[in-house]
Amino acid sequence: MTPPPVTLTPPVKEIAPTKTAETSSSGGCGCSSTNDATDGLTDEMRARIEKHPCYSEEAHHHYARMHVAVAPACNIQCNYCNRKYDCANESRPGVVSELLTPEEAAHKVLVVAGKIPQMTVLGIAGPGDPLANPEKTLRTFELIAEKAPDIKLCVSTNGLMLPDYVDRLKNLNIDHVTITINMVDPEVGAKIYPWIRWQRKRIKGVEAARILHERQMEGLQALQDADILCKVNSVMVPGINDGHLPEVNKAIRARGAFLHNIMPLISAPEHGTYFGLTGQRGPTPKELKAVQDDCSGNMKMMRHCRQCRADAVGLLGEDRSQEFTKDKFMEMAPEYDLDSRKEVHDGISKFKDAIKAAKVKLKPGQKIANSPKVLVAVATKGGGIVNQHFGHAREFMIYEVDANEAKFVGHRKVENYCHGGYGEEDSLDYIIKTIADCKAVLTSKIGECPKAELQKAGIHIVEAYDVIEKVAREYYDQNVQLQPA
Ligand code: CLF
Ligand code: SF4
């Protein structure tokens, strides 16, 4: 049976769009999800993460990050990595970044900070391992700390050299470090890492994994002792470490990790990786969510990671790196200006407050027990608002909704349906398959043809321009029958 369309129209009129750079496509504004990593935190901790789009789910609706690709070498081999591409710990295989010198990188950061004032974090994540290239990495951080003091510095590493650099990271005022930890059992590790380079020797097998594991734990402990926030990334490899990840989760929690980001293995033969060539598959969205849910009782989980490339620029869901290729940014004059950036950030804070106030009204007075949960797929350009045309969506944010809350649980990438005036049937089939487990699509606008096809597939359409959680909860209240208690 075709579900009836539901239309929710009024936008949140009292919320003005935040001022953004003219090149911004994000709208620079948004709201938080109720499972945000800021829940239950002290004010001090909240302040440390509130503008970091990876450490705070709420922040990723508002603030952008950028990476500079200054670190080409690596000191280990992961079976999901092909050195032709960027470090697969923090990027998807198939894209290669242009290498920069620290001076070029600093110039790029000042250019982007002027064009995208909501860019608050500079990360170094490859294309190899940043701490296998310590001079280039640390020199880049030094230059940026000096020239752009309001930008947070962030680094992602495999952890092998981390214990040797925690003091220098602390001296540079770096407050966010990611370690990729895929195992705490070297027998499992030997199936992921064929070798490491350690003390000028190549070491293989279980012994290599044991050294890597010990160095990762030592580095994690040193970060805790230095009061530097640590996020742990784990690549989920079905049949190899999927059942082992809860153990990893316990070990990192015991050593003070702030956030755990379990990411899916991305693997295909054309990537030329060991796993790709041997047919090792990645997890399905359902398998990934099950492991994330399993670990979420222990600590905060990151579910909004986009596995971005080593020269990524923009909000996490968008890729603006092509606007800032080397030939382009070297021709641009830096427009970094602390005062105008502060003005933009103040605007974002006001906008967030307005959205928070709108969300408070959604909470039921008393928690409703055992209400059924449904998934909805949201088309959004950012800002925590349903504000994107269905045909333009290149990903859908997935929210789990019940009678109490709407909770962000992940995102699914798709090909956009609309190709400048005509719709792509293959894309629509793929979109329908990708969101088949969702009860509804929330979008600002949708054409008659895709609307009919989605309805045929049993998916409701909600056309609205409003706060995501508000639209999702209203949809739920109007469409999901609660069993009498
Ligand atoms: Fe970059 Fe990583 Fe810092 Fe973020 S990314 S170094 S913590 S600023 Fe973020 Fe990208 Fe996921 Fe990394 S979405 S891949 S978690
Ligand atoms: Fe590749 Fe990164 Fe692993 Fe090094 S740490 S082998 S660059 S995925």
Side-chain angles (χ1 to χ4, degrees):
M1 200 176 79
T2 306
V6 182
T7 307
L8 305 172
T9 38
V12 195
K13 293 222 176 62
E14 67 271 25
I15 298 171
T18 312
K19 181 181 168 192
T20 59
E22 57 178 4
T23 48
S24 168
S25 62
S26 72
C29 47
C31 75
S32 68
S33 157
T34 48
N35 64 334
D36 183 64
T38 59
D39 287 352
L41 296 180
T42 61
D43 287 349
E44 188 255 335
M45 192 60 93
R46 202 181 294 264
R48 287 169 75 178
I49 63 161
E50 71 178 353
K51 288 186 186 167
H52 197 308
C54 303
Y55 281 68
S56 160
E57 197 273 311
E58 176 184 25
H60 104 285
H61 294 288
H62 310 269
Y63 298 106
R65 55 74 187 97
M66 71 177 288
H67 290 165
V68 284
V70 294
C74 193
N75 44 14
I76 69 172
Q77 179 64 56
C78 304
N79 278 334
Y80 45 74
C81 178
N82 177 346
R83 297 291 169 74
K84 273 200 298 188
Y85 305 129
D86 291 352
C87 174
N89 287 334
E90 286 272 336
S91 64
R92 50 187 195 280
V95 287
V96 192
S97 302
E98 288 175 321
L99 273 182
L100 304 179
T101 64
E103 289 69 26
E104 288 166 343
H107 179 83
K108 182 175 183 180
V109 172
L110 296 179
V111 165
V112 174
K115 298 258 182 239
I116 309 179
Q118 65 270 46
M119 187 277 286
T120 47
V121 178
L122 179 269
I124 300 183
D129 183 74
L131 297 181
N133 304 261
E135 296 317 322
K136 289 180 182 133
T137 296
L138 297 172
R139 179 68 190 140
T140 304
F141 283 142
E142 269 169 16
L143 289 171
I144 301 196
E146 187 188 311
K147 295 179 180 174
D150 68 331
I151 292 178
K152 284 181 186 296
L153 305 176
C154 187
V155 65
S156 172
T157 175
N158 60 40
L160 186 63
M161 296 311 294
L162 180 60
D164 299 357
Y165 290 101
V166 170
D167 288 348
R168 286 185 71 183
L169 297 176
K170 185 72 186 173
N171 288 339
L172 280 163
N173 204 20
I174 291 170
D175 198 30
H176 299 83
V177 175
T178 294
I179 317 175
T180 297
I181 302 180
N182 298 320
M183 53 86 202
V184 289
D185 176 352
E187 297 286 340
V188 175
K191 295 178 191 154
I192 300 172
Y193 306 104
W195 57 260
I196 65 168
R197 180 158 283 282
W198 175 243
Q199 297 176 340
R200 295 171 191 269
K201 286 194 205 109
R202 182 177 285 212
I203 298 174
K204 295 184 185 169
V206 177
E207 174 64 0
R210 185 190 59 75
I211 294 168
L212 181 62
H213 163 62
E214 286 174 4
R215 294 286 286 177
Q216 288 177 335
M217 294 300 116
E218 197 187 328
L220 185 50
Q221 188 63 54
L223 291 175
Q224 187 183 18
D225 295 344
D227 191 26
I228 295 174
L229 291 181
C230 180
K231 169 168 74 61
V232 168
N233 285 357
S234 298
V235 180
M236 177 175 167
V237 189
I240 291 187
N241 72 349
D242 47 345
H244 179 60
L245 287 175
E247 218 179 302
V248 173
N249 178 270
K250 278 195 200 110
I252 63 168
R253 185 182 181 228
R255 289 167 183 80
F258 175 75
L259 192 61
H260 195 185
N261 173 23
I262 299 179
M263 316 185 288
L265 169 73
I266 300 173
S267 175
E270 59 270 27
H271 300 152
T273 61
Y274 176 80
F275 281 155
L277 293 171
T278 54
Q280 172 64 54
R281 71 172 179 91
T284 63
K286 206 172 159 190
E287 288 169 337
L288 179 68
K289 182 173 181 295
V291 174
Q292 289 171 333
D293 288 350
D294 203 16
C295 295
S296 67
N298 295 328
M299 66 185 290
K300 304 276 182 205
M301 302 299 293
M302 178 184 188
R303 297 176 195 247
H304 59 283
C305 175
R306 303 303 202 276
Q307 289 168 281
C308 36
R309 49 191 282 174
D311 62 358
V313 176
L315 292 175
L316 296 193
E318 67 179 3
D319 180 6
R320 297 181 62 181
S321 55
Q322 291 311 304
E323 292 171 41
F324 301 100
T325 51
K326 194 161 159 182
D327 57 330
K328 291 180 186 153
F329 78 73
M330 288 307 281
E331 297 292 312
M332 300 180 196
E335 294 165 26
Y336 174 85
D337 178 65
L338 201 52
D339 291 339
S340 61
R341 283 174 55 82
K342 186 172 177 313
E343 205 184 312
V344 170
H345 296 178
D346 289 348
I348 294 174
S349 294
K350 278 194 195 128
F351 187 79
K352 281 165 64 184
D353 289 347
I355 296 234
K356 245 177 221 156
K359 281 170 58 184
V360 165
K361 293 185 197 151
L362 296 173
K363 297 219 171 188
Q366 219 180 348
K367 202 154 168 92
I368 300 165
N370 301 326
S371 59
K373 293 181 191 304
V374 302
L375 298 181
V376 298
V378 181
T380 173
K381 292 187 279 188
I385 302 283
V386 179
N387 58 3
Q388 191 172 39
H389 195 294
F390 174 82
H392 298 165
R394 289 200 165 92
E395 66 171 24
F396 288 93
M397 288 209 178
I398 307 298
Y399 280 70
E400 189 175 71
V401 196
D402 65 16
N404 303 295
E405 62 178 0
K407 190 165 81 168
F408 172 83
V409 292
H411 61 93
R412 309 224 181 124
K413 286 198 191 313
V414 293
E415 282 283 318
N416 53 311
Y417 166 69
C418 181
H419 290 258
Y422 71 94
E424 182 58 67
E425 287 313 312
D426 288 349
S427 306
L428 185 56
D429 289 348
Y430 183 75
I431 292 170
I432 291 174
K433 259 190 226 142
T434 305
I435 59 169
D437 54 345
C438 296
K439 286 275 176 239
V441 169
L442 318 185
T443 176
S444 62
K445 196 97 191 114
I446 184 168
E448 288 308 317
C449 172
K451 186 188 273 185
E453 292 301 313
L454 283 158
Q455 288 174 340
K456 238 192 266 169
I459 299 172
H460 287 109
I461 308 295
V462 180
E463 284 181 83
Y465 189 103
D466 210 331
V467 176
I468 294 171
E469 287 84 348
K470 182 166 183 280
V471 182
R473 287 280 300 104
E474 285 179 359
Y475 165 76
Y476 187 94
D477 289 347
Q478 290 166 20
N479 291 276
V480 180
Q481 295 285 328
L482 295 183
Q483 300 296 327

